């Protein structure tokens, strides 16, 4: 299998989403603008290995149980989500704004946990939402700490303008990321979504490697610079406790491994 073929095969899986979970061969081939026979062969191969399954009645394909198995593995990896939710809830209660946790996944940030504001008008984000790392506070506070090679890769792939405030000039973006790293947090206004303020701080693993961010987001009319700094203090306090939990968990896991040897 060539890398091009593998890339095309993996692209198929991206079409199986929450909004469109099932596909017939012909409709998927039409959507992808690919040969019906090529798409069919790929779908059959994925089905053979358990990544897809075909409904007998509709003859349409959907994600298979192999992803459920991998999901269990990922759940084990993401146990820290349960450890930090109390801190996220505390921050949301004290700030009265929405708080969300974003994990880095390649060149994107993925929202994996949310503590919602109790206000009627609030910023809403869905678990599983993916955002490019160059736009918005939650992702910029991650990208600022990535290796230069990965930053260059993201920029080379192209910078899309989501709002009038999205930075799409490479040198300007790099300068902003340097500033984020210097200050230790990201503060943006309407970069990814109009009229939304984001205040975000990075979260590191026990080896000091960036892997997530914690963010407060709210309608811009409600957040003055003074309030933003109060939110930042809450985030820093929460992340300090979260980092201690992560380090403690990692040490416990290491001790467990040693005991098994």
């Amino acid at each position: 299998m060539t890398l091009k073929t593998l890339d095309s095969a993996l692209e198929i899986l991206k079409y199986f989403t929450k909004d469109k979970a099932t596909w017939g061969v012909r409709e998927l081939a039409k959507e992808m603008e690919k040969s019906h026979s090529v798409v069919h062969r790929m779908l059959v191969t994925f089905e053979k290995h358990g990544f897809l399954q075909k409904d007998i009645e509709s003859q349409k394909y959907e994600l298979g149980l192999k992803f459920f198995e991998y999901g269990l593995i990922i759940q084990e990896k993401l146990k820290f989500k349960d450890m930090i939710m109390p801190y996220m809830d505390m921050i949301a209660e004290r700030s009265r704004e929405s708080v969300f946790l974003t994990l880095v996944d390649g060149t994107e940030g993925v929202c994996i946990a949310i503590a919602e504001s109790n206000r009627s008008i609030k910023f809403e984000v869905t678990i599983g939402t993916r955002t490019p790392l160059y736009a918005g506070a939650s992702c910029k506070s991650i990208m600022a700490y990535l290796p230069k090679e990965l930053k260059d890769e993201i920029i080379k792939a192209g910078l899309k303008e989501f709002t009038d405030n999205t930075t799409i000039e490479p040198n300007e973006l790099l300068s902003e990321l340097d500033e984020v790293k210097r200050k230790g947090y990201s503060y943006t206004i309407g970069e990814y979504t109009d009229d939304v303020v984001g205040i975000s701080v990075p979260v590191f693993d026990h080896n000091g490697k960036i892997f997530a961010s914690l963010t407060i987001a709210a309608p811009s009319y409600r957040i003055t610079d003074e309030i933003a700094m109060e939110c930042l203090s809450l985030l820093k306090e929460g992340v300090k406790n979260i980092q201690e939990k992560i380090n403690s968990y990692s040490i416990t896991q290491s001790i467990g491994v040693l005991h098994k040897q």
Side-chain angles (χ1 to χ4, degrees):
M1 179 183 287
T2 66
L3 287 177
K4 184 177 180 181
T5 303
L6 176 60
D7 187 66
S8 296
L10 293 176
E11 183 186 359
I12 282 182
L13 296 178
K14 295 181 180 179
Y15 284 83
F16 291 86
T17 64
K18 184 169 62 174
D19 296 327
K20 177 66 174 174
T22 62
W23 288 91
V25 178
R26 292 191 180 279
E27 65 173 334
L28 182 55
K30 182 179 179 181
E31 181 72 18
M32 298 182 67
E33 298 182 347
K34 290 185 179 294
S35 162
H36 168 271
S37 59
V38 170
V39 171
H40 181 256
R41 285 199 301 271
M42 291 180 178
L43 291 173
V44 169
T45 301
F46 277 127
E47 181 187 16
K48 176 183 176 181
H49 292 279
F51 291 99
L52 294 177
Q53 58 189 26
K54 184 166 70 172
D55 183 87
I56 296 177
E57 294 184 4
S58 68
Q59 292 295 294
K60 291 188 175 183
Y61 288 85
E62 60 186 22
L63 295 179
L65 291 179
K66 183 62 69 175
F67 283 105
F68 177 73
E69 295 175 20
Y70 287 149
L72 293 178
I73 296 173
I74 295 297
Q75 274 189 334
E76 179 67 22
K77 182 180 178 182
L78 300 182
K79 272 186 177 178
F80 74 91
K81 171 183 169 182
D82 297 327
M83 295 189 295
I84 70 173
M85 277 308 299
Y87 300 109
M88 292 178 62
D89 290 336
M90 178 272 292
I91 295 170
E93 181 179 352
R94 290 172 61 182
S95 68
R96 298 191 65 203
E97 302 295 354
S98 297
V99 180
F100 59 99
L101 178 71
T102 302
L103 271 192
V104 60
D105 183 21
T107 61
E108 295 178 309
V110 185
C111 175
I112 68 161
I114 306 166
E116 291 193 340
S117 165
N118 58 11
R119 302 192 196 217
S120 56
I121 299 177
K122 57 191 174 184
F123 174 75
E124 292 187 349
V125 63
T126 304
I127 289 179
T129 298
R130 289 178 170 270
T131 310
L133 290 179
Y134 58 85
S138 62
C139 286
K140 274 186 168 178
S141 60
I142 292 174
M143 187 173 174
Y145 293 87
L146 293 179
K148 180 180 182 302
E149 295 75 16
L150 188 49
K151 289 179 185 175
D152 291 341
E153 179 183 332
I154 292 170
I155 291 173
K156 186 177 180 182
L159 304 177
K160 176 184 176 181
E161 188 175 38
F162 294 95
T163 73
D164 291 340
N165 293 324
T166 307
T167 302
I168 58 174
E169 202 286 311
N171 289 331
E172 184 180 349
L173 174 62
L174 290 172
S175 178
E176 291 176 0
L177 294 175
D178 287 341
E179 182 69 5
V180 169
K181 191 172 183 179
R182 185 186 69 79
K183 295 188 301 185
Y185 68 91
S186 179
Y187 176 25
T188 62
I189 303 175
E191 277 199 4
Y192 185 72
T193 305
D194 283 319
D195 302 319
V196 171
V197 167
I199 307 104
S200 182
V201 294
V203 182
F204 303 93
D205 64 18
H206 65 287
N207 291 317
K209 181 180 178 181
I210 184 69
F211 81 106
S213 67
L214 196 62
T215 306
I216 289 177
S220 57
Y221 73 85
R222 216 155 55 206
I223 304 293
T224 62
D225 287 345
E226 182 181 355
I227 292 175
M229 292 304 101
E230 292 173 0
C231 289
L232 178 61
S233 295
L234 289 174
L235 287 170
K236 285 183 174 180
E237 179 185 347
V239 167
K240 180 182 177 182
N241 291 323
I242 289 168
Q243 297 282 184
E244 290 174 355
K245 280 283 187 180
I246 291 173
N247 293 337
S248 175
Y249 179 74
S250 299
I251 291 171
T252 302
Q253 291 295 91
S254 299
I255 292 173
V257 170
L258 289 174
H259 285 172
K260 290 178 182 179
Q261 292 179 348

